[in-house]
């Protein structure tokens, strides 16, 4: 944590910023280690303050010993004003994507300085993982693989999508997950055309494809994995579409490299799907970063100028979704390395027929 704070303070110096107010919980935790539900950070190139209420003062002292802990009751502007006045700052940066309109108005009216909107400053620091962070994500990925093995021995026609999701979540929680970051996606048959089809009471039927997208949190870090399986023989068209997605996903996993933009990485899979005649049915990006949040920097999409670097952990998850028919998605967690990429999840990608 002290090293992360130092990196942020160096970034403030580079950008000639006097101070920044951090309100986003994931960014606050990343810089300070504080996990309470209420708190903000006030950081300059030389000072670091953590403001929280009475409930968390003792916790903050233990989790964030490199911060000065300050009690915050009532208006945040009232709590910040003495510290800002003592420092003599004329400007204060804030996270434009994570500050509510009402709090911005309060700060603007209550503080004697100019508020400067900032975007993605801490998120950029979070994008490249340390060895310790990679190890946490690697352990989480291994649990995702075990969960998929568990699923293969459980799933059968007649179960509802919701029952599959619950059994999977219970298993992952028993492996140490701190919770889920989204409602598990279990999309069978025609519902497979919905990329974010939350598990329903629909029964699974023989001959259907079933797409399962699941997550967990381990030591606060997110995991994310998707597999599509067949309950009984799925038919020639289903096999063709599945194989198209599998080859596109393999192409991206094997050829993604540091230095690529999100656009270039996305194209690795997208071009193959287009050539197969299914381009209009791949409507989302190739993937996203993983870390303290299940969706973070970098973004892999046709519009993303994010540049990949060693140490980033991303998902690679192309899919084909055809209304009235169904869909297929395959998703792995992947570590960008100096020479290419390493798949952290390793479950079979060939079509499994149960």
């Amino acid at each position: 944590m002290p090293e992360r704070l130092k990196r942020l303070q160096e970034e403030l110096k580079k950008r000639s910023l006097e101070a920044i107010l951090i309100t986003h919980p994931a960014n606050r935790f990343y810089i300070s280690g504080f996990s309470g539900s209420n708190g903000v950070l006030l950081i300059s190139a030389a000072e670091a303050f953590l403001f929280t209420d009475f409930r968390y003062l003792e916790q903050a002292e233990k989790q964030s010993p490199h911060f000065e802990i300050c009690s915050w009751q009532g208006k945040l502007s009232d709590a910040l004003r003495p510290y800002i006045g003592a420092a003599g700052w004329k400007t204060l940066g804030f996270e434009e994507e994570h500050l509510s309109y009402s709090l911005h108005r309060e700060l603007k009216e209550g503080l004697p300085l100019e508020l400067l909107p900032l975007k993605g400053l801490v998120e950029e620091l979070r994008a490249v993982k340390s060895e310790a962070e990679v190890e946490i994500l690697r352990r989480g990925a291994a649990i995702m693989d075990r969960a998929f093995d568990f699923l293969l021995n459980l799933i059968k026609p007649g179960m509802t999508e919701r029952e599959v999701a619950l059994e999977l979540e219970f298993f992952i929680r028993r492996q140490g997950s701190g919770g889920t970051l989204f409602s598990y996606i279990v999309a069978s048959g025609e519902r497979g055309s919905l990329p974010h089809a939350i598990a329903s009471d629909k029964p699974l039927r023989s001959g259907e494809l079933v797409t399962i997208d699941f997550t967990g949190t381990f030591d606060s870090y997110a995991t994310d994995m998707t597999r599509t399986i067949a309950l009984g023989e799925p038919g020639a068209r289903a096999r063709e579409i599945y194989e198209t997605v599998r080859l596109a996903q393999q192409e991206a996993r094997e050829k993604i490299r540091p230095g690529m933009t999100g656009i270039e990485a996305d194209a690795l899979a997208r071009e193959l799907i287009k050539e197969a005649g299914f381009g209009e049915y791949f409507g989302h990006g190739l993937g996203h970063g993983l870390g303290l949040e299940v969706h973070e920097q970098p973004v892999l999409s046709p519009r993303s100028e994010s540049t990949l670097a060693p140490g980033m952990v991303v998902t690679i998850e192309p899919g084909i979704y055809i209304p009235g028919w169904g869909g297929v998605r395959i998703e792995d967690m992947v570590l960008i390395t100096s020479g290419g990429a390493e798949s952290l999840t390793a479950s079979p990608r060939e079509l499994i027929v149960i």
Side-chain angles (χ1 to χ4, degrees), residues 7 9 66 85 113 172 180 206 228 250 258 272 276 279 301 308 316 327:
R7 288 168 58 208
Q9 290 175 321
H66 49 301
L113 44 59
I172 292 172
T180 61
S206 182
T228 300
Q250 177 178 302
L272 191 151
S301 81
L308 297 177
I316 294 182

Side-chain angles (χ1 to χ4, degrees), residues 226-244:
T226 306
R227 288 294 186 269
T228 300
I229 63 174
L231 296 180
E233 176 53 46
R237 189 183 189 207
R239 286 186 175 276
E240 176 194 6
I241 292 171
Y242 186 94
E243 188 65 5
T244 299

Side-chain angles (χ1 to χ4, degrees), residues 53-187:
D53 64 64
F54 172 81
R55 297 171 297 169
Y56 298 113
L57 291 175
E58 183 179 358
Q59 176 181 335
E61 292 282 357
K62 293 178 180 178
Q63 292 183 327
S64 308
H66 49 301
F67 275 74
E68 180 177 337
I69 309 303
C70 309
S71 180
W72 163 24
Q73 303 291 339
K75 289 186 176 182
L76 179 58
S77 57
D78 291 340
L80 297 177
R81 195 179 302 112
Y83 298 88
I84 290 172
W89 298 325
K90 303 299 182 184
T91 58
L92 176 64
F94 69 92
E95 299 177 297
E96 64 176 64
E97 296 179 299
H98 307 299
L99 191 72
S100 69
Y101 176 79
S102 60
L103 184 52
H104 178 272
R105 183 174 59 184
E106 179 209 314
L107 296 176
K108 186 175 181 180
E109 294 174 352
L111 296 178
L113 44 59
E114 180 185 1
L115 296 175
L116 301 177
L118 302 174
K119 183 177 181 179
L121 196 157
V122 179
E123 285 85 348
E124 290 175 9
L125 299 179
R126 285 169 45 196
V128 175
K129 273 55 182 181
S130 67
E131 291 183 6
E133 289 176 297
V134 170
E135 182 57 31
I136 292 171
L137 288 161
R138 193 185 301 279
R139 286 191 279 111
I143 292 172
M144 293 294 100
D145 285 330
R146 293 204 295 272
F148 184 62
D149 285 341
F150 166 79
L151 176 71
L152 293 179
N153 291 312
L154 167 82
I155 193 168
K156 61 184 179 180
M159 294 182 71
T160 67
E161 294 175 344
R162 196 185 314 278
E163 287 172 336
V164 173
L166 287 172
E167 292 290 345
L168 191 55
E169 181 179 346
F170 291 158
F171 177 88
I172 292 172
R173 283 182 177 270
R174 287 194 293 267
Q175 303 301 306
S177 172
T180 61
L181 294 161
F182 55 79
S183 296
Y184 284 6
I185 296 166
V186 181

Side-chain angles (χ1 to χ4, degrees), residues 219-296:
D219 291 337
S220 300
Y221 283 78
T223 57
D224 195 6
M225 176 174 158
T226 306
R227 288 294 186 269
T228 300
I229 63 174
L231 296 180
E233 176 53 46
R237 189 183 189 207
R239 286 186 175 276
E240 176 194 6
I241 292 171
Y242 186 94
E243 188 65 5
T244 299
V245 174
R246 188 190 70 79
L247 290 174
Q249 206 256 2
Q250 177 178 302
E251 182 80 355
R253 279 190 299 104
E254 293 181 351
K255 294 187 178 180
I256 195 168
R257 293 287 185 274
M260 280 185 169
T261 65
I263 295 171
E264 292 168 334
D266 178 272
L268 293 172
R270 192 169 302 278
E271 291 305 314
L272 191 151
I273 291 174
K274 282 183 179 179
E275 289 171 4
F278 298 105
E280 66 181 295
Y281 301 115
F282 178 22
H284 59 71
L286 176 66
H288 53 83
L290 276 172
L292 291 175
E293 297 178 281
V294 74
H295 293 93
E296 60 179 51

